[in-house]
């Protein structure tokens, strides 16, 4: 609780942000739509620690001994699974939400380090196909820009059931971001708000989805891995149903996951955090004897190598990043402070992805702004960030004596809070107990 | 030309689709007859060549899905999502079609001789759909482009949240969805309907008997004063 210089107490309930939002709503008569992910404090990977090697565990030499990072995605049914050099992928972000240069930069950065990038609502741009060695093609409810030629050009397909920022919600690209090119790709008039449906148009439940997945496999001659992406809610059951529907890979996006444009109320109040979601997905896979057979990709608030290593120790095969990648390209950089100030915001606070006025040229369709982002330089920065995260994750894995990041295990972790212990089912440090565990000692 | 017959009782669906996906039209036949489809799903989806396919019976889900250039006839009924996301070509259903017929289609012509169930033409993006009978509720939901011609009646919430697609219904419309209104039938619309009926082989329904429905374009950009209309 904060106090001002006169010793006056700020309300915890009606804090400045809340008061500001009520005033804004009263003025504008519209709920707040924004980009970025949840801003509230939630139990997260920061609440876990690695134990590291000790008398009973043998570490690997930090700078010398091998610690592999590769991952194969789609080995269940696909004739051509994807082999990535690092387990950090670039999540689906649409052309429309992002500029063409930003999409190209993501492709370049990902390709430089041997990982994949993903299309998004609105279809595949030639730039991103050209710049991405491994490109995952999203199949969303709107089916904007969806066509079978691009389907065949993709290296994997991802059926998007939901997104962590808005499970149960559709998309929205506000009119100011609908340039002629975006409009044409989506077969809609320029300048109008584009709603993306929240339900798929041609399947309604897991039984239908099984047939839908088979259709996609038939069309692509069973070559391509098929991912199913869900926003984290009833993750245990969703994972089971996705496996039953025939997915090769499951992508679980926690509520902290970023978005291009969603109602603030949705971002902050729907879904469950990434931490319990990983645990629930892994439990479901283990129960079905499908852990490591159907691969699990985790996203939602992955920022550094520690997050990567902890998600993998809990049983994920790989992670995906959105917001972190945009920041690496230059989003929220102090370089643009003057322009942020003019918009009433500041570097570190900028979340107006929906408005299309991004001074960094990333979340915009304005040609002049978009041209500010040099895709080569952006790609280089993203590659640096991905390499750094990988090195960090390897450092932690070696400290735990693992010659492959994937060999990290829940036993390498402890929790620092009761909440994280309960959600991750990882023992509270100094104990062998977590809430709900009937054997451990406190 | 030449005709090849494939019987799905003794040929796996995978083998049929694989064959249809890898044709060499300089030597392979361009007419295929599929016998004993028995409601199997995903028959002849993802075709890319200018071939003719006759399916001699009922088909399951997603028959002719994402079709490009091919001409298919289903001599029976079909399941959910017939010709979904079709790009070009022609798909004809001699019987009735289940939900989401022609969903998200970008081009080509889908003809349903019987009725089509709910969500016919949902999110259509340029496809033309002609239904000889009636269509179910939420047909042309969020329809973006193309023409939907219904010779019978339409169910509840026709054209809900419609964008620029044009809807023509000869019979009754149970209710119109959000932002969908009746519009004037001008000479160019009579021409469009007449031409589509002709292509569908329907010569006993008068284009002048259709009413046109489309977007009021009131919900195209958010306005808080329209909040009760959502
Ligand atoms: C600008 C932006 C656009 C996005 N567009 C899509 C999209 O089109 N489809 C989708 O499935 N997810 C989309 N997402 C969500 C990401 O795929 C991913 O789930 C999320 O960003 C992961 O969380 P993180 O941002 O904390 O890394 C978008 C996210 C952002 C930041």
């Amino acid at each position: 609780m904060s106090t001002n210089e006169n010793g006056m107490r700020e309300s915890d309930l009606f804090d400045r942000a809340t008061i500001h939002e009520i005033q804004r709503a009263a003025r504008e008569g519209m709920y707040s739509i924004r980009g970025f992910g949840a801003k509230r404090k939630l139990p997260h990977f920061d609440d876990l620690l690695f134990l590291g090697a000790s008398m009973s565990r043998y570490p690997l030499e930090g700078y010398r001994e091998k610690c592999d990072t590769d991952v194969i995605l789609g080995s269940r049914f696909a004739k051509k699974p994807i082999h990535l050099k690092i387990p950090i992928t670039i999540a689906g972000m649409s052309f429309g939400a992002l500029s063409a240069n930003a999409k190209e930069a993501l492709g370049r950065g990902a390709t430089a380090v041997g990982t994949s990038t993903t299309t998004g609502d609105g279809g595949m741009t030639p730039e991103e196909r050209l710049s991405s060695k491994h490109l995952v093609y999203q199949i969303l409810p709107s089916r904007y820009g969806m066509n079978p030629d691009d389907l065949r050009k993709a290296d994997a397909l991802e059926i998007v059931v939901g997104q962590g920022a808005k499970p149960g919600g559709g998309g929205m690209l506000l009119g100011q971001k609908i340039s002629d090119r975006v409009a044409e790709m989506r077969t809609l008039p320029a300048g109008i708000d584009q709603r993306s449906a929240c339900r798929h148009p041609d399947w309604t439940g897991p039984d239908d989805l099984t047939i839908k997945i088979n259709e996609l496999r038939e069309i692509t001659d069973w070559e391509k891995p098929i991912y199913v992406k869900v926003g984290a809610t009833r993750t245990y059951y969703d994972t089971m149903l996705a496996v039953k529907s025939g997915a090769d890979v499951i992508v679980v996006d926690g509520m902290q996951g970023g978005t291009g444009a969603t109602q603030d109320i949705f971002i902050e109040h729907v879904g469950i955090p990434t931490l319990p979601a990983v645990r629930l997905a892994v439990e479901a896979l283990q129960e079905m004897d499908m852990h490591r057979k159907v691969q699990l990709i985790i996203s939602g608030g992955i920022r550094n190598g520690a997050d990567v290593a902890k998600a993998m120790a809990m049983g994920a095969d790989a992670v995906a990043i959105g917001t972190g990648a945009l920041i690496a390209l230059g989003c929220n950089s102090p370089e643009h402070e003057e322009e942020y100030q003019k918009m009433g915001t500041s570097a570190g606070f900028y979340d107006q992805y929906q408005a299309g006025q991004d001074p960094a040229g990333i979340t915009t369709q304005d040609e002049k702004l978009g041209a500010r982002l040099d895709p080569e330089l952006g790609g280089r920065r993203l590659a640096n960030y991905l390499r750094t995260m990988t090195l960090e994750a390897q450092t932690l894995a070696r400290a735990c004596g693992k010659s492959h990041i994937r060999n990290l295990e829940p036993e390498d972790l402890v929790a620092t809070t009761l909440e994280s212990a309960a959600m991750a089912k990882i023992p509270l440090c100094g104990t062998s107990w977590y809430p709900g565990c009937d054997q451990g000692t406190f | 030309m030449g005709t090849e017959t494939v019987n799905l009782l003794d040929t796996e669906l995978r083998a049929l689709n694989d064959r249809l996906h890898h044709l060499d039209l300089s030597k392979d036949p361009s007419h295929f007859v599929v016998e004993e489809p028995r409601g199997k799903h995903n028959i002849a989806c993802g075709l890319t060549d200018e071939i003719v396919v006759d399916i001699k019976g009922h088909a399951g889900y997603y028959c002719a899905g994402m079709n490009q250039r091919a001409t298919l006839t289903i001599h029976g009924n079909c399941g959910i999502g017939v010709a979904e996301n079709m790009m070009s070509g022609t798909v004809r259903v001699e019987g009735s079609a289940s939900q989401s017929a022609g969903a998200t289609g970008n081009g080509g012509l889908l003809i349903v001789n019987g009725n089509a169930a709910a969500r016919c033409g949902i999110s259509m993006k340029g496809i033309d759909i002609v239904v000889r009978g009636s269509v179910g509720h939420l047909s042309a939901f969020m329809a973006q482009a193309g023409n939907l011609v219904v010779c019978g009646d339409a169910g509840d919430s026709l054209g809900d949240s419609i964008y620029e697609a044009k809807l023509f219904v000869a019979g009754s419309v149970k209710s119109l969805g959000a932002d969908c209104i009746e519009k004037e039938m001008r000479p160019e619309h009579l021409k469009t309907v007449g031409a589509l009926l002709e292509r569908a082989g329907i010569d006993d329904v008068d284009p002048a008997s259709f009413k046109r429905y489309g977007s009021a374009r009131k919900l195209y950009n958010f306005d808080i004063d329209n909040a009760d209309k959502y």
Side-chain angles (χ1 to χ4, degrees), chain A residues 123 152 159 162 190 223 230 416:
Chain A
R152 293 185 195 98
I159 299 176
E223 283 180 357
V230 292
T416 57

Side-chain angles (χ1 to χ4, degrees), chain A residues 110-182:
Chain A
T111 300
V113 298
T115 190
S116 61
T117 183
T118 312
T119 65
D121 218 354
M124 183 190 286
T125 64
E127 292 97 322
E128 67 180 325
R129 177 60 280 187
L130 220 63
S131 64
S132 313
K133 177 158 191 284
H134 307 283
L135 182 59
V136 183
Y137 187 50
Q138 285 200 328
I139 296 156
L140 294 113
S142 72
R143 311 278 166 91
Y144 287 142
M146 162 90 219
N147 82 64
D149 294 327
D150 289 342
L151 197 77
R152 293 185 195 98
K153 278 185 214 149
D155 301 297
L157 313 176
E158 179 170 301
I159 299 176
V160 180
V161 178
Q163 225 180 291
K166 47 178 172 183
M172 173 69 105
L173 198 58
L174 293 179
Q176 53 267 44
K177 285 182 92 170
I178 315 296
S179 64
D180 290 344
R181 183 176 177 198
V182 173

Side-chain angles (χ1 to χ4, degrees), chain A residues 82-102:
Chain A
I82 296 193
H83 192 166
L84 303 180
K85 287 193 184 142
I86 62 168
I88 311 165
T89 65
I90 305 300
M93 291 182 275
S94 61
F95 168 67
L98 300 188
S99 64
N101 280 357

Side-chain angles (χ1 to χ4, degrees), chain B residues 72-94:
Chain B
L72 296 98
T73 304
I74 301 161
H75 298 269
N77 304 320
C78 65
I80 289 179
V82 63
E84 65 87 17
N85 215 83
M86 172 152 73
M87 305 302 290
S88 59
T90 306
V91 175
R92 187 180 180 90
V93 184
E94 292 296 2

Side-chain angles (χ1 to χ4, degrees), chain A residues 91-94 97-98 120-121 138 140 160 163 229 253 256-260 299-301 320-323 326 353:
Chain A
M93 291 182 275
S94 61
L98 300 188
D121 218 354
Q138 285 200 328
L140 294 113
V160 180
Q163 225 180 291
K229 175 176 178 174
D253 191 24
Q256 296 100 318
T259 174
S299 60
I321 58 166
T323 308
L326 302 187
Y353 296 173

